[in-house]
């Protein structure tokens, strides 16, 4: 492949002045992530100024810099680097002939984005680009665009938001040919007066659709019609996915796979596909159907997509399953430590309840953040799913979990602790051979450290 950006191309894209001639093979604004050949963008933030790390970036092999003040080394200078990052992303999108897919939703964004990448890359290796990690905000999205190789056949971009209006700005940068909403749930409810308002904010993704674009909607969502109305003015075509009768991409037949996961026969508008979803849970089937809908919409290879879905490994913090050594035997550790909201809590508790275990079902549940004035009610409502999952012991972490502790009462053996450090000791004492332990909470609770402690630092 040819180089990603030349200094002349960068200067033209961002309206800057080039000092020195260089070519870069990557882009980053985090000096810790600089690789040889990268463009390092010195962003100014509230806490720090990227210009302080210019020398460090050059030492690590950065080929060029994007800065807003004079520096030593080859660079392009602009008035404002944050705006220049947007312009570089916009220029990358303008020069690309790739089919572009935008992904948003309250739950399942990252997992669906990664599954889509695997599905499209399976048939066209090395020519599919996607945003890495959860780079889905006002800096992560333009960075992901700026990193897109000029020869890419497909580009997949995750877009998130905490407030109304944020997705509208991101989708106009991405300009997707396909805009996919995974699901609507009460995530970030602190900033919205209702779940309907969240649906409206997620529906902003349709505003950036390219002419002739496709909107992909969750058929089983109570907000389906609301999303369809939002997509209507912008989409040439709407495709629904789900389990319900009438969905355009539907799971007509489901059966639990012998080694976990689900065997699915899916019907599409002009095809039928039998495949296996490697990860367990009905919510993962829903994500897989969304993936098939998007692959179909861009004219991708459905058979290759089915093979990729069977092989797809869970992401650390988002359903990764580890067998850990305990007490002379092994236990299953389900790592959902990256994030949590009411809908994802219920979905993963259901997965735990369906897990065949020789020992006990144990949960370590951290507080769900940004739920606003109804936070206590959302936490307390988890009592029933916990009971339905047959949980034997619950370790509840964080102040917000007090409401759940009260709701559970004496129905479930439990401990309520203030932080992840206290929970780690209890989890180590509790887990035994044959047990299955689910660890889930908002990222700010820090339960990823608990998972690593139990796993001994090993995957």
């Amino acid at each position: 492949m040819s180089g990603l950006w030349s200094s002349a191309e960068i200067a033209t894209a961002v309206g800057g002045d080039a000092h020195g001639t260089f070519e870069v093979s990557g882009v980053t604004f985090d000096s810790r992530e600089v690789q040889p050949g990268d463009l390092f963008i010195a962003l100014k933030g509230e806490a720090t100024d990227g210009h302080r790390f210019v020398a460090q970036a050059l030492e690590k092999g950065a080929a060029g810099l994007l800065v807003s003040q004079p520096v030593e080394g080859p660079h392009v200078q602009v008035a404002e680097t944050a705006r220049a990052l947007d312009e570089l992303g916009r220029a990358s999108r303008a020069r690309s002939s790739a089919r572009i897919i935008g992904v948003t939703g309250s739950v399942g964004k990252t997992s669906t984005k990664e599954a889509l990448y695997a599905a499209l890359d399976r048939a066209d290796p090395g020519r599919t680009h996607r945003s890495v990690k959860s780079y889905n905000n006002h800096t992560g999205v333009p960075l992901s665009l700026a990193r897109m190789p000029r020869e890419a056949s497909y580009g997949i971009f995750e877009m998130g938001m905490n407030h109304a209006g944020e997705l509208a700005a991101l989708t106009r940068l991405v300009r997707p040919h396909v805009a996919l909403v995974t699901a609507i749930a009460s995530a970030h409810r602190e900033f919205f007066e209702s779940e309907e308002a969240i649906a409206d904010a997620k529906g902003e993704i349709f505003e950036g659709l390219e002419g002739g674009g496709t909107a992909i909607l969750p058929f089983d969502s109570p907000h389906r019609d609301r999303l369809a109305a939002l997509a209507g003015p912008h989409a040439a075509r709407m495709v629904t996915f789900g389990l319900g009768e009438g969905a355009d991409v539907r799971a007509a037949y489901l059966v639990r796979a012998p080694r976990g996961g689900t065997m699915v026969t899916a019907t599409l508008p002009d095809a039928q596909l039998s495949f296996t979803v490697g990860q367990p849970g009905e919510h993962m089937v829903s994500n897989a159907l969304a993936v098939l809908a998007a692959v179909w919409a861009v004219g991708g290879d459905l058979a290759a997509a089915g093979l990729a879905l069977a092989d797809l490994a869970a992401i650390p913090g988002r359903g990764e399953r580890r067998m850990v050594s305990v007490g002379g035997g092994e236990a299953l550790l389900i790592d959902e430590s990256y994030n949590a909201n009411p809908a994802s809590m219920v979905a993963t508790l259901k997965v735990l309840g369906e897990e065949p275990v020789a020992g006990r079902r144990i949960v370590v549940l951290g507080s769900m953040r940004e739920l606003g004035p109804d936070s206590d009610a959302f936490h307390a409502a988890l009592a029933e799913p916990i009971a339905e999952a047959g949980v034997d012991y619950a370790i509840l972490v964080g102040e917000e979990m007090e409401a759940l502790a009260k709701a559970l009462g004496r129905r479930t053996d439990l401990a309520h602790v203030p932080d992840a450090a206290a929970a780690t000791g209890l989890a180590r004492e509790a887990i035994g051979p044959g047990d299955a332990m689910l660890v889930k909470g908002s990222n700010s609770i820090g339960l990823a450290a608990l998972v690593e402690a139990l796993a001994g630092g090993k995957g």
Side-chain angles (χ1 to χ4, degrees):
M1 285 190 176
S2 56
L4 186 61
W5 294 101
S6 70
S7 52
E9 288 172 327
I10 295 168
T12 298
V14 304
D17 297 320
H19 299 263
T21 301
F22 57 89
E23 188 172 272
V24 302
S25 54
V27 183
T28 186
F29 50 62
D30 187 337
S31 61
R32 297 166 297 183
E33 296 181 355
V34 171
Q35 299 294 317
D38 277 354
L39 172 71
F40 174 64
I41 303 177
L43 294 180
K44 290 185 177 181
E46 295 180 4
T48 189
D49 183 347
H51 293 84
R52 293 171 47 199
F53 306 101
V54 161
Q56 178 182 332
L58 290 171
E59 288 173 4
K60 295 181 73 172
L65 310 164
L66 184 55
V67 295
S68 59
Q69 62 193 47
V71 296
E72 294 294 327
H75 65 276
V76 173
Q77 187 172 340
V78 295
E80 183 185 349
T81 50
R83 182 173 180 178
L85 173 59
D86 278 355
E87 293 303 324
L88 195 61
R90 191 172 282 112
S92 178
R93 176 64 184 89
R95 75 181 182 182
S96 178
S97 60
R99 298 292 291 171
I100 304 296
I101 303 171
V103 180
T104 194
S106 302
V107 292
K109 292 187 297 295
T110 301
S111 296
T112 299
K113 178 255 298 180
E114 290 296 319
L116 256 173
Y117 170 77
L120 292 169
D121 190 65
R122 184 78 170 234
D124 196 5
R127 299 185 69 88
T128 301
H129 172 75
R130 92 287 205 190
S131 47
V132 298
K133 301 181 181 178
S134 290
Y135 279 2
N136 61 19
N137 62 7
H138 66 287
T139 54
V141 169
L143 177 69
S144 298
L145 280 166
R147 289 172 164 176
M148 182 164 55
R150 60 184 83 216
E151 303 93 343
S153 298
Y154 301 103
I156 307 161
F157 298 92
E158 178 182 340
M159 288 177 266
M161 61 89 200
N162 292 336
H163 298 84
E166 292 176 342
L167 263 180
L170 296 178
T171 192
R172 288 188 171 95
L173 274 177
V174 174
R175 293 193 289 117
H177 299 102
V178 175
L180 189 164
V181 179
T182 59
I184 303 297
S186 289
H188 310 300
R189 183 62 180 273
E190 178 181 352
F191 308 115
F192 297 92
E193 64 180 22
S194 66
E195 204 166 272
E196 287 76 13
I198 294 173
D200 290 343
K202 294 296 184 184
E204 292 172 13
I205 193 173
F206 305 125
E207 296 175 18
L209 271 172
E210 288 286 87
T214 301
I216 299 180
L217 315 175
F219 181 84
D220 302 317
S221 171
H223 307 290
R224 178 192 66 211
D225 292 343
R226 193 179 194 94
L227 290 170
L230 292 167
H234 310 286
R237 177 174 63 180
M238 281 187 262
V239 178
T240 59
F241 68 91
L243 305 179
E245 186 73 41
D248 297 315
V249 179
R250 177 175 175 263
Y253 176 75
L254 298 173
V255 64
R256 184 180 175 90
R259 297 183 180 180
T262 309
M263 293 186 289
V264 182
T265 297
T267 58
L268 293 91
D270 55 7
Q272 186 174 80
L273 181 69
S274 294
F275 63 101
T276 299
V277 180
Q279 300 172 50
E282 195 172 275
H283 61 300
M284 299 308 299
V285 174
S286 181
N287 288 350
L289 295 171
V291 167
L292 292 182
V295 171
W296 178 83
V298 296
D301 187 324
L302 290 171
L307 293 172
L309 289 168
D311 293 341
L312 193 65
I315 307 169
R318 293 183 172 91
E320 185 179 41
R321 300 160 76 84
R322 307 189 189 192
M323 297 305 298
V324 298
S325 298
V326 290
E330 284 190 321
L332 172 64
L333 183 62
I334 304 172
D335 177 13
E336 287 273 1
S337 60
Y338 185 79
N339 217 339
N341 59 51
S344 64
M345 279 284 199
V346 171
T348 50
L349 283 166
K350 184 177 180 181
V351 169
L352 178 66
E354 294 171 349
E355 191 68 40
V357 294
R360 299 187 302 164
R361 293 184 177 89
I362 303 168
V363 295
V364 182
L365 303 181
S367 296
M368 300 179 289
R369 296 281 166 83
E370 298 183 351
L371 292 180
D374 294 325
S375 177
D376 283 353
F378 282 123
H379 283 85
L382 296 178
E384 197 59 37
I386 286 172
E388 291 175 354
V391 171
D392 298 289
Y393 180 47
I395 302 171
L396 309 180
V397 189
E399 180 181 350
E400 293 90 342
M401 278 292 170
E402 182 178 355
L404 176 56
K406 290 178 179 177
L408 285 171
R410 297 182 179 180
R411 288 198 295 173
T412 302
D413 187 17
L414 67 86
H416 182 207
V417 295
D419 53 40
T424 299
L426 289 177
R428 276 188 170 134
E429 294 173 4
I431 194 167
D435 291 347
M437 176 179 282
L438 167 66
V439 180
K440 187 168 181 64
S442 288
N443 195 35
S444 58
I445 302 298
L447 293 180
L450 179 150
V451 170
E452 288 307 309
L454 292 180
K458 299 176 181 179

